[in-house]
Amino acid sequence: DVPHLLEQALRAHVVYVKDKDYVIMNTPDPQTGRNEPSVVIVDQFTGRAMIGRQWSDGLHQAVECKEQVPIKQETQTVASVTIQNFFKTYKQLAGMTGTADTEAQEFHDIYGLDVVSIPTNKPIARGDFDDLMFLRAKDKWDAIVDEIKAFHDVGRPILVGTTSVEKSEMLSQLLTKKHGIKHEVLNAKQHEREAHIVEAAGEMGAVVIATNMAGRGTDIKLRPITKESQVDHWLRRSIAGKGLSPDMDEAALRENVYRKIATAELGVKKRDAETMDFGELEMQLLSHWAEQTTWLSPKQIDSADAEELREALDETGRCLLHRIRWFTTLEEMGGLHVIGTERHESRRIDNQLRGRSGRQGDKGSSRFFVSLEDDLMKMFAGKTTMNVLSRLGMKEGDAIEHPILSKSVERAQRKVEERNFQVRKNILEYDEVMEHQRQGFYGLRQRVLEMRDVKELVFEYIDACIDDACGEYLSPAYPAQCAIEYVQEVLETDIPLERLKGRDSDEMDKRIREDAKAEARSMIDVTLGEYMSAEGAEVVVDFDSAGLVSWAKTRFGVEIDAGDLAEGDTATRHAVQDRLVEAAEAKIDEADLSRLDVFLSPDYGIEQLIAWATRMFDVEVTVDEVKSSLDESTPPPEAFMRDRVRERYHRKEVDYPVDFALQMTMMGMQQNPQEAFDSLLAWSKRRYGAEFDRDEARTGGPAKMKAMLTEAVEAWWKTGELETIKGKVSEADDIESLEPVLQERFGAGAPEWLLWLEADQFHAAARGVVETRLRGEMLQLESTILLETLDRSWKDHLYAMDQLREGINYQAFAQRDPRIAFKKEGSEQYKTMMDDIRSRVADDIFKMRLNPAPPPGQRAPAPGGGGGGFFGSTIVGAGIPGAAPAAAPASPKQA
C-alpha cells in the first residue's frame, strides 16, 4: 500500500489547492451532531460546495491530514455510472440549455443529438466587448478593480466572475482596501446565501463577486431607481458635491459632479476646480478619460470636440461619467455589467457568465480581462501571443484590446475543449465494459426486487453449480490435479499434469521427488545469484551476506556463518550451493507423500462429489447411485443430482413456512395468546385451505400442531394450486384483467407498481405477486439471500475494477492496447463474480432462515395479518429485522 498512499499524499499536498478545489467548513458530524471543521469539495463547474461528498481511494483522508482536520472513515463505492451512460439509459433524449452550441460536436458523437439554436424571445441588446489583454496578472487585477470602481461610482450593477474561492476572496480584499466598495462574495463558503445574494444583484450600485457560475438558475432582475436613490449613492461614493439635490436639471448635475471629481481625476486644486470655467473643465475631463480608456492618439484627442470624445468613450464601454445625468432606469444606465477575471477552459462557462446580463432584451455589457500569466494562456497561447505583443511594442502596465487577441484566446479554449473531450471519450470507452456489466447486474437485481421468477433464478444457480461440480469432480484428470495441489502444498513444487497421468503410487512418488529435486537445484542456483555473483558474471550484484544467511535459515534450515562468506569467492559460492542442495534434497526425501494413495482411489472423484453435495445441499447420495448414473443408458449424473436437490428444496418449502408461522405465533403469545393462536388458524385456512378443530389443535401441543400444519402444506402442494393460479395470471394482458383473478383467490387486488412495468416484465411480476401471497416466507428468504449476496459481491467487484483501471495503462509497455486489455480482464472478473454469486446462493439457500423478530419498541406481530397471505399484501419491500443460521449448518453464516 505504501506507493499508493505516497502518491495520494503527494497529490493532496501539491495538486489539490485549498479554496480552489476544496474549502474548510464547519459541518455537523453524523455521529455526534457537533459542528466540526471538515474538508468540503468545491464543484469545479458551479463553484458550489458539495457537502457530504468524498474523494475516493484515500485522497480525501490525505487532504484532511494535510489540513489537520478530523479524518473521516473512507467510503465504499456501491454504485457508479458515467453521466453519458446514465443519460443513454433513457429511451428518448432531449434537452435545452443556453450554451450547447459550443459542444455540438460532442452531443452528436456521444448521444447522436443535433444541436439547434433557437432565436431569443427578444433581440439581444448586450454589448460583448473584446478581451482586455495584459502581460502580468498584477496589472490585470488593478485594471479590474479600477473598472469596478468606475461603474460602481455611477451606480451600475456589476457581476464579477472568478475561477476559484481563493481569487474571489483576493479580489474582495483589493476592492475593500483600495476603494472601500461595498460588495457581496458568492462562493462555496456562502452557498446557503446564494438566492438572497443573486436576488439583490440587480440593485443600483450592487457588486457581486461570484465563483464560476454560482447563482445560475435565478434571473438577475434590474431594480427600479429614483432620483433620490441616485443622489444618495453619488454622495456616498463622493462623486457629487453636498449641494446636489433631485431638483437640479441635468446641466447643473453634471457641473456639480465634474467639479467634485476634478481634484481626484485631474490632480488640480479644489479651489481651481471650483473657479475654473466649466466648459474648459469638462474638456479636460473628457480628454483625460479618452486618453485612459480609448485608442485615440493625443493629436486626435486635442482636435476632437466634446461630443466626438463622448462617442469615442461610448465605443470602449469602460466609462460612464462622461454621460452622467438623471437616469430613469438601470437599463438606461447600461444594465448589468459582467466582468470575467480570466478565461475559463470551456467557452461554455464563459458564455454562461456573459448570459447573466442582457436577459429578455435588457441592456447590458460584458468584458473579460486576460493576462499571459493565466493558466489557460500559459498552456496554449502564451508564447505566440507574447511574440505578437512584443512586436507591437507592448510593455508591463499596458493593455491591448483587439478582436485578433479575442480570437487567439478562443482558439486556446477550443484546444482545451478538444483535449477534455478526448479525455471524456476515453473514459467512456473504458466505461463501456462496466456499462455492459451494469445492464446485466442491475437487470438481475431488479428482477429480484420485483419478485419476478425468483425461485427459477435460484434453481438456475443451483443447476449451474451442479454442472460445474460434476464436470470438475468426475473429470478423469481431477485426481491428478488434486495430487499436484497436494505436492505443491507439501514440497512447494509445481509438477506438470502430464507427468502424473496414468501412473501408480510408487511411480508417482518417484517422479514427484525427482522433479522436486531438479526444481530445487535450479531455484537455489538462481536465488544465490541474487545474493552473490557467479564466476565470470558480466553483471556483478551487490553482495548481501545478511540476506543470504536469513534466506538459507528460513527456507532450508541451514545455518551459515556470515564471517565465512567472501564477496566474489567462487569456492565459497559452490560450498554454500552444495550445502543448500543437500539440505533441500534431504527435506524432499523426508517429506511424507502417503496421501497420494488417496488420490489414486478409483472412486475418489465420486466421493468428493458426494461430500460436496452433502455440504452444499444436505442431500444423501451413494457411490453406487452416482456410478449407475454414469451409464450411457441412464440420465447423466447432473440430471440425477438436480432431481435429488429439487426434492430437498421441496422439503424446505414445506417445512420452512410452518416453522416461521409457529415462531411468529410464539412471539405473539407473549402479548395476546388467544389472538396469536386464532391468527395461526386463520392463516392456515386462508393460505392452504386447512381447517383444524380449535380445541384439538390447542390441546395437542406445539409438536402436534407442527405435524398437522406440515401435513396440510404437503397436501396443498400436491393440489398444484400455485401453478394453476400462476397460469391464469400469465393469461392476463394488463392489470385490469389481472385484478379479478387476484380478487377471487386472495380478496385483494394487484399492487400499483405493476403499472410501471413494461409488457415483457408484467407477466413475470404478476406471477411474483401470486408467489408472494402463497409462498411469501420462502420467497422472502430467497430474495433476501440473493440481494445480500448480489450487493456484497457487486461492491467488491467495483473495488476490484477500480484497482484494475488504476494499473491497466502499464499494459502499453508490453505493446498491448490498455482498452482491449481492460475489456478482456474486466469481463473475466465479472464472470468470476457471477460464478461466486451462484455458488454462494446455492450454498446459503439450504442453510439460512429468517428470524421473524419485531421492530424495537413494537409488539410482536401475529401471523395472518391482512390481505392474501401470511404477510398480507405488504410483503414486497418489507424489511427483515433479523436473521439467524439454521440449527447446525456445515458453514455457519448470517443472512
Side-chain angles (χ1 to χ4, degrees), residues 357-400:
S357 173
R359 313 280 279 194
Q360 292 294 323
D362 288 347
K363 281 188 178 181
S365 60
S366 68
R367 186 191 307 277
F368 280 84
F369 290 74
V370 181
S371 81
L372 296 183
E373 293 180 344
D374 293 344
D375 294 337
L376 178 73
M377 301 304 293
K378 282 193 291 187
M379 274 195 297
F380 288 100
K383 191 174 294 184
T384 304
T385 310
M386 179 73 80
N387 293 336
V388 173
L389 297 180
S390 299
R391 285 199 297 270
L392 294 173
M394 184 178 179
K395 59 184 182 295
E396 288 190 25
D398 292 346
I400 286 186

Side-chain angles (χ1 to χ4, degrees), residues 49-60:
M50 297 192 291
I51 297 176
R53 297 278 295 275
Q54 283 193 25
W55 289 301
S56 59
D57 291 334
L59 176 60
H60 202 89

Side-chain angles (χ1 to χ4, degrees), residues 11 35 38 97 212 221 249 284-285 289 333 395 406 430 437 456 521 524 540 564 588 615 629 727 730 737 752:
R11 187 176 294 169
N35 282 342
S38 61
T97 175
N212 279 346
K221 295 184 178 180
D249 59 18
Q284 287 188 26
L285 284 170
W289 292 329
M333 195 181 288
K395 59 184 182 295
S406 298
Y430 277 105
Q437 296 177 4
E456 286 71 13
R521 287 191 292 269
I524 290 170
V540 179
D564 296 338
I588 292 170
R615 184 175 65 253
S629 69
S730 297
S737 55
E752 291 185 6

Side-chain angles (χ1 to χ4, degrees), residues 606-675:
I606 295 177
E607 292 170 352
Q608 293 301 306
L609 176 62
I610 292 172
W612 172 83
T614 304
R615 184 175 65 253
M616 286 282 289
F617 309 123
D618 193 21
V619 296
E620 295 181 3
V621 183
T622 64
V623 173
D624 292 337
E625 286 177 325
V626 176
K627 281 185 174 180
S628 63
S629 69
L630 293 173
D631 190 346
E632 293 182 358
S633 62
T634 60
E638 292 87 349
F640 160 72
M641 293 288 289
R642 282 197 289 267
D643 291 341
R644 189 62 60 86
V645 172
R646 274 166 171 70
E647 291 174 8
R648 172 72 180 85
Y649 200 85
H650 174 70
R651 189 73 258 153
K652 186 178 180 72
E653 283 191 303
V654 172
D655 294 338
Y656 182 76
V658 174
D659 292 339
F660 199 96
L662 290 174
Q663 288 184 53
M664 293 278 283
T665 302
M666 295 298 293
M667 292 170 54
M669 284 185 170
Q670 298 174 12
Q671 301 289 335
N672 190 326
Q674 185 71 30
E675 181 184 345

